[in-house]
Amino acid sequence: TSAVLETYLNSVERGTLLYDSLQLKIIIQKLDSAGFQLHFHATGDRAVRASLDGIEYAIKVNGNNFRRHQIAHANLPNPDDISRFRKMGVIANMQLWWMDNSTYYTALLPSIIGEKRVQQLHPFKSFSNQGSLLSVGSDYPATPLSPFEAIQKAITRKDIDSKNEHIIGEKECLDLPETIAAFTIGGAYAQFMEKEAGSLEIGKWADFILLDKNLFAIDPMEIHKTKL
């Protein structure tokens, strides 16, 4: 279950961490010292904070080796922790498909964590505004592999084909250039490959795709229909 700082609604439970904070700090410090780039899966503000605290401890002991550690999901981060990603060079590996205006987010989750925390669940824009580097993972097969559905959701925060105009956390919508960058140069940077791939520049690999639509010229709600 997601580890959270405040209890779930009508409960005394705060979720479960796989490691206590001291254990985690020691593990992270040793792996960082040995040269590993770490990839965390953290859902919930307590899990995200525990990951950041561990990385901070490793930097304090080892110095900042700029391993480009990643925190995948990183959902529901405490607002005070968002700036820590940029300060420590931690990559926010986001699942952009995960936020929409379906009943899962408008009805189910508010009954579990409350409306305020639902609004803070996937702060894509806040990460971008703080200067954090965004990379993207699909979380396939739990969610679709298609990047076009995820791009559409990131900039609309609506379910695919949704007619509902209600948007949860509208200020957290990314714009199209930010979203494409997260899928391209962001992914390359996360793999230490930004000098070879991730953007169309002289001297880089000529990796590009041809789409049947210009994403910048169509209704954002049509992006999911894009084909190679």
Side-chain angles (χ1 to χ4, degrees), residues 148 209-213 215 223-228:
F148 304 114
I209 58 175
L210 182 64
L211 308 181
D212 68 341
K213 297 176 178 63
L215 302 187
I223 290 176
H224 72 283
K225 297 178 182 178
T226 304
K227 299 184 183 303
L228 299 180

Side-chain angles (χ1 to χ4, degrees), residues 3 6 21 23 25-26 39 43 49 52 92 101 108 118 122 132-133 149 162 187-188 193 198 216 219-220:
E6 297 181 13
S21 60
Q23 263 187 319
K25 286 179 179 179
I26 293 171
H39 184 107
T43 64
R49 179 168 290 179
L52 290 170
N101 59 355
L108 178 60
V118 172
H122 295 285
S132 300
L133 191 127
E149 290 190 14
S162 175
M193 294 179 64
F216 290 88
D219 183 334

Side-chain angles (χ1 to χ4, degrees), residues 147-165:
F148 304 114
E149 290 190 14
I151 289 171
Q152 177 175 314
K153 285 193 170 188
I155 64 177
T156 66
R157 291 175 84 89
K158 293 182 181 180
D159 202 5
I160 301 298
D161 292 324
S162 175
K163 304 301 180 186
N164 180 5
E165 292 303 314

Side-chain angles (χ1 to χ4, degrees), residues 119-195:
Q119 294 284 339
Q120 300 172 340
L121 197 56
H122 295 285
F124 303 143
K125 191 72 171 183
S126 291
F127 274 111
S128 181
N129 288 344
Q130 289 277 1
S132 300
L133 191 127
L134 298 181
S135 183
V136 179
S138 68
D139 208 47
Y140 180 82
T143 48
L145 191 58
S146 167
F148 304 114
E149 290 190 14
I151 289 171
Q152 177 175 314
K153 285 193 170 188
I155 64 177
T156 66
R157 291 175 84 89
K158 293 182 181 180
D159 202 5
I160 301 298
D161 292 324
S162 175
K163 304 301 180 186
N164 180 5
E165 292 303 314
H166 176 64
I167 300 175
I168 300 172
E170 186 170 6
K171 65 182 178 64
E172 296 296 348
C173 292
L174 291 175
D175 62 35
L176 185 55
E178 287 173 318
T179 309
I180 292 175
F183 269 100
T184 53
I185 193 66
Y189 181 86
Q191 300 176 76
F192 292 86
M193 294 179 64
E194 73 277 11
K195 293 182 180 179

